[in-house]
Amino acid sequence: MAPNVNSLMGDFAAVISNVDLNATFSNHEFEVIHNAVDAHGVAVFRDQFLEDDALVAFAERFGPMETPLARDQYGGIDKRITMLANVSDNGQVMAVDDEHAIFMKGNLLWHSDSSYKPVPCTYSILAAHEVPASGGETEFADARACYDDWQGPFGETEKDELEDLVCEHSIIYSRSLISGDIFSDEEKAAFSTPRQPLVRVHPRTGRKVYYVGSHCSHVIGWPLEKGRALVRELTGFCIRPECVYSHKWHPGDVVIWDNRSVLHRGRTYDPTARRIMHRATVAGDGPLLPA
Ligand code: OGA
Ligand code: MN
């Protein structure tokens, strides 16, 4: 049986049904899913109740998994799974001033996962276990439409002059915007500040995006504030409401998104409500720029 693909917003976001991600499915079924994710940037699967083994197996159909930061493995069962949970190992909801809760606030800013790593990831797959009754949505913005529709200019700079710009990405920078100066000297020393192209081209679809979001700090070779203003302009254009899909979670949902095509962010919720999500992240196959 072939999976059904129903678009939610034209060529952006889809619901894929008639597939059981807990079962092994054929290469043909996988190709239908892979193509649908590439075409839509985000895809939703309902009622999957995906356990970690099946989450890992599904992710590995796309390629080898990325290893999360040690902080993201919090409570982790499998070191390759990123935990997005406000529930501690002892089963209790964390205090809002818990160190991990403060670290996770970074997800409230629009971003592309792991753009601050020298080899950024491709797909992220998030499985919902426990969700708050209201709030806690995840929002996705179509960065492909942003590239296609933003016409510039930015000040004196025309759109076509942005094509070869290079930006510095940093999680120390992005977390400083919302969580404060949270990293130890040891952690800071371990982070690099990779250079990423401002325009990222999707290798399977050929579509381009402005590769911005919270980790994107500034433009190499431009005055710092001018570069930050450009990043704000492009991120702001990307997230205009008609280009945003807001996912209201139900337990059992699985959402996959392509970090080469969309920006995303989490929304706040009642901090006394429980929210437990497990993420598998597919590794990129190399740096985006030549050394
Ligand atoms: C993520 C993320 C937001 C959320 O899993 O990468 O940013 O809503 N999640 O939990
Ligand atoms: Mn994220």
Side-chain angles (χ1 to χ4, degrees):
M1 248 195 281
N4 286 330
V5 180
N6 287 298
S7 296
L8 291 169
M9 297 171 65
D11 71 355
F12 179 52
V15 174
I16 303 181
S17 55
N18 209 31
V19 64
D20 177 3
L21 298 180
N22 284 289
T24 36
F25 42 89
S26 69
N27 286 339
H28 172 70
E29 285 173 303
F30 177 69
E31 271 316 299
V32 173
I33 294 169
H34 199 177
N35 290 336
V37 173
D38 284 343
H40 294 88
V42 191
V44 174
F45 304 83
R46 301 277 190 195
D47 299 317
Q48 298 291 330
F49 299 94
L50 202 58
E51 292 303 330
D52 288 342
D53 289 357
L55 174 63
V56 166
F58 181 46
E60 287 182 332
R61 296 294 286 261
F62 293 88
M65 285 172 65
E66 178 179 283
T67 307
L69 297 180
R71 280 179 182 258
D72 279 326
Q73 296 166 7
Y74 171 86
I77 302 106
D78 179 317
K79 292 284 178 234
R80 294 171 300 171
I81 289 175
T82 298
M83 298 288 289
L84 290 112
N86 69 341
V87 176
S88 312
D89 280 345
N90 66 9
Q92 301 299 307
V93 171
M94 289 171 192
V96 281
D97 61 354
D98 183 285
E99 196 189 351
H100 190 69
I102 291 171
F103 171 72
M104 283 202 310
K105 281 167 75 177
N107 289 331
L108 301 174
L109 301 177
W110 288 101
H111 64 283
S112 178
D113 286 336
S114 80
S115 74
Y116 60 85
K117 294 184 179 177
V119 178
C121 65
T122 56
Y123 307 94
S124 294
I125 308 169
L126 192 56
H129 293 264
E130 292 186 54
V131 303
S134 65
E137 300 87 356
T138 307
E139 294 185 337
F140 299 91
D142 188 352
R144 307 161 308 168
C146 172
Y147 178 86
D148 293 347
D149 296 345
W150 187 82
Q151 294 306 327
F154 175 74
E156 314 261 279
T157 311
E158 298 296 333
K159 180 177 168 106
D160 62 5
E161 294 175 86
L162 300 186
E163 214 64 9
D164 297 321
L165 293 181
V166 174
C167 298
E168 187 174 295
H169 288 234
S170 162
I171 192 175
I172 300 171
Y173 167 68
S174 59
R175 284 304 196 266
S176 77
L177 300 173
I178 190 162
S179 303
D181 184 9
I182 53 169
F183 295 113
S184 65
D185 290 344
E186 203 182 340
E187 282 173 303
K188 284 180 186 165
F191 287 128
S192 55
T193 46
R195 296 173 169 216
Q196 311 289 12
L198 177 62
V199 176
R200 188 175 186 183
V201 186
H202 196 291
R204 279 170 53 93
T205 65
R207 291 192 72 177
K208 293 178 172 179
V209 301
Y210 291 118
Y211 192 40
V212 288
S214 63
H215 306 307
C216 184
S217 166
H218 58 274
V219 178
I220 310 279
W222 278 25
L224 189 79
E225 281 312 322
K226 182 181 169 192
R228 290 198 168 153
L230 175 66
V231 172
R232 277 196 299 274
E233 158 75 15
L234 296 174
T235 303
F237 189 83
C238 182
I239 62 172
R240 60 210 189 284
E242 63 271 28
C243 294
V244 172
Y245 166 65
S246 178
H247 185 72
K248 161 88 189 133
W249 290 97
H250 298 273
D253 284 356
V254 173
V255 175
I256 177 167
W257 65 91
D258 189 334
N259 289 290
R260 299 166 295 189
S261 303
V262 307
L263 294 180
H264 66 281
R265 69 167 174 180
R267 303 298 277 152
T268 54
Y269 54 94
D270 170 2
T272 65
R274 295 166 68 89
R275 189 175 191 264
I276 301 181
M277 324 275 278
H278 292 190
R279 193 183 86 203
T281 317
V282 181
D285 60 9
L288 305 184
L289 291 171

